[in-house]
Amino acid sequence: MFFSLVLFTAEFLGLPLVPPFYGSHNANFEKGVNFAVGGATALERSFLEDRGIHFPYTNVSLGVQLNSFKESLPSICGSPSDCRDMIENALILMGEIGGNDYNYAFFVDKGIEEIKELMPLVITTISSAITELIGMGGRTFLVPGEFPVGCSVLYLTSHQTSNMEEYDPLTGCLKWLNKFGENHGEQLRAELNRLQKLYPHVNIIYADYYNALFHLYQEPAKFGFMNRPLSACCGAGGPYNYTVGRKCGTDIVESCDDPSKYVAWDGVHMTEAAYRLMAEGILNGPYAIPPFDWSCRSSGVKNSGSSDT
Ligand SMILES: *[C@@H]1O[C@H](CO)[C@@H](O)[C@H](O)[C@H]1NC(C)=O
Ligand SMILES: *[C@@H]1O[C@H](CO)[C@@H](O)[C@H](O)[C@H]1NC(C)=O
C-alpha cells in the first residue's frame, strides 16, 4: 500500500521514482530512498510474538528501518553535516505503518478490544521515530493514518456476517472495522498535534488515507468506478472476488478487463486508479492536514527534482 503512494507522490513532485533500499546493491540514492518493506510492522516482532501475534512475514519493524537508515547515511549523503542538510531538506514520508501490526493481530483472531490496546503503542512508536528524525534535522513529515479496513476485500470476506446492521448502507463496508481505522487516525492526529506544539519549527502533515480512500466508496460513479466497488479486480470468485489459497499473482488468477473500474486490486492492495486518486486527494486536495502549500512548487520542489545538482 505504502509503495504505490510513494510512486505517485514522486511522480507528482516531478521526481524520479524512489528506489527501494532493501535488496538494492550499489544503488544511487540521490533521488531519494525508500525504506519500506512489504509486511513491515511498527512494533518489534518479538514484542508482537510475546503477545501471541505470530506472523511468517518480515521482521523489519519501523525501528529496524530507522537503524538501517542511520547506518546507511554515510553512503547516502557523506559527512554528518551533509547528512543533516539532506535530512533538513527532505520530505519524510513516515508510513503508512502500523496497519500490519493490526492485520496480524486480526489474522490470529485477537479480539477487537485487545487489538485496540496496540493502538497507543503503535502511535508512540511512530511518534518516537519522528522525534528521533527531528533530532537528526528532520523538518517536513507526511504521516499517514490507516486505510478504511472495513471496506477492504480481505476483511469483508473474513468478517462476513448475516447481520446487515454491521454494514454501512451507503457503501456496504463494515462499520465496526472502519470505526477502528478512524480511531487510529484520531489518536495519531492527537499525538501529531502534541509533537507540532513541541516542535513549532517542524512541519508535520497528517495524510488522511482513511478519508482519501473512503470517499471513493461513497461516490464511486463520480470517479469512474463501478457501483459498490467492493470486489477485487484480480480474484477467483467468492462474494468479494477473493478466495483464500487462490490469490492474485498465482497462475490460476487473471485480472479483470478494466481495472480502472475497481478500487480493490487483489483483496489487499488498491488499483492504480484508486492510489492515484488518493495521492491527488492528499497532495492537492483536502486530505492533507494542514494542506500542502504549493506556492513555491515551480521554483522550489519541482526544479530541484529535475536538475542534477
Ligand atoms: C530478522 O531475520 C533475519 C533472517 O531471518 C535475521 O538474520 C535477523 O537477525 C532478524 N533481525 C531481527 C532484528 O530480528
Ligand atoms: C473477479 O476476478 C476475475 C479475474 O480473475 C475477473 O475476470 C472478474 O470479473 C472478477 N469478478 C468480479 C465480480 O469482479
Side-chain angles (χ1 to χ4, degrees):
M1 298 192 193
F2 179 28
F3 188 59
S4 297
L5 272 178
V6 172
L7 294 187
F8 285 127
T9 310
E11 194 181 297
F12 179 87
L13 296 173
L15 300 172
L17 301 182
V18 183
F21 171 77
Y22 291 98
S24 55
H25 303 283
N26 308 316
N28 175 350
F29 295 123
E30 255 173 58
K31 304 303 183 191
V33 54
N34 178 5
F35 284 83
V37 172
T41 52
L43 300 168
E44 296 304 313
R45 185 193 191 100
S46 56
F47 181 93
L48 291 165
E49 298 262 345
D50 286 349
R51 276 155 190 75
I53 302 166
H54 304 284
F55 50 100
Y57 312 103
T58 182
N59 61 4
V60 177
S61 62
L62 182 56
V64 171
Q65 289 177 43
L66 200 55
N67 282 337
S68 307
F69 174 65
K70 286 190 278 190
E71 281 165 18
S72 59
L73 278 177
S75 64
I76 298 175
C77 45
S79 73
S81 78
D82 284 348
C83 285
R84 203 173 171 88
D85 273 359
M86 179 198 74
I87 297 171
E88 276 178 8
N89 290 304
L91 168 63
I92 301 172
L93 180 54
M94 180 53 75
E96 174 276 329
I97 187 99
N100 286 326
D101 301 57
Y102 305 138
N103 285 338
Y104 301 155
F106 278 112
F107 293 169
V108 296
D109 281 329
K110 293 284 176 194
I112 184 84
E113 291 310 320
E114 194 178 343
I115 301 176
K116 271 192 193 152
E117 288 171 15
L118 293 176
M119 234 178 235
L121 305 172
V122 164
I123 286 162
T124 304
T125 306
I126 296 171
S127 174
S128 308
I130 296 171
T131 305
E132 196 166 345
L133 286 161
I134 291 174
M136 294 165 71
R139 286 219 185 134
T140 313
F141 294 84
L142 182 61
V143 191
E146 286 308 325
F147 288 75
V149 285
C151 306
S152 103
V153 170
L154 185 64
Y155 282 89
L156 283 166
T157 305
S158 61
H159 292 81
Q160 210 181 330
T161 169
S162 56
N163 180 5
M164 294 317 284
E165 307 233 311
E166 290 190 18
Y167 295 97
D168 170 21
L170 175 65
T171 60
C173 301
L174 282 163
K175 286 190 286 189
W176 64 278
L177 272 165
N178 275 351
K179 194 112 212 123
F180 179 85
E182 280 183 272
N183 227 287
H184 171 94
E186 282 158 16
Q187 290 192 32
L188 179 59
R189 277 186 72 187
E191 178 60 18
L192 297 181
N193 284 339
R194 195 188 67 85
L195 282 180
Q196 184 63 81
K197 289 207 179 84
L198 219 49
Y199 304 102
H201 66 290
V202 171
N203 292 308
I204 302 177
I205 302 167
Y206 175 65
D208 188 355
Y209 278 14
Y210 180 95
N211 285 302
L213 185 56
F214 190 55
H215 85 294
L216 307 183
Y217 294 105
Q218 289 174 304
E219 295 185 281
K222 188 171 155 188
F223 303 100
F225 295 114
M226 63 168 80
N227 184 35
R228 285 251 171 155
L230 294 177
S231 45
C233 157
C234 179
Y240 299 95
N241 214 15
Y242 180 86
T243 314
V244 179
R246 298 194 66 198
K247 293 202 180 80
C248 182
T250 64
D251 54 2
I252 41 171
V253 185
E254 289 174 8
S255 95
C256 59
D257 288 338
D258 187 358
S260 71
K261 297 261 178 293
Y262 287 73
V263 173
W265 165 243
D266 60 359
V268 180
H269 304 92
M270 307 304 143
T271 54
E272 286 194 8
Y275 281 135
R276 179 175 291 279
L277 287 162
M278 272 181 83
E280 281 169 10
I282 288 160
L283 295 166
N284 279 328
Y287 301 109
I289 304 161
F292 279 91
D293 173 7
W294 293 115
S295 51
C296 60
R297 182 174 162 205
S298 52
S299 58
V301 178
K302 206 166 184 188
N303 284 352
S304 68
S306 51
S307 67
D308 277 289
T309 43

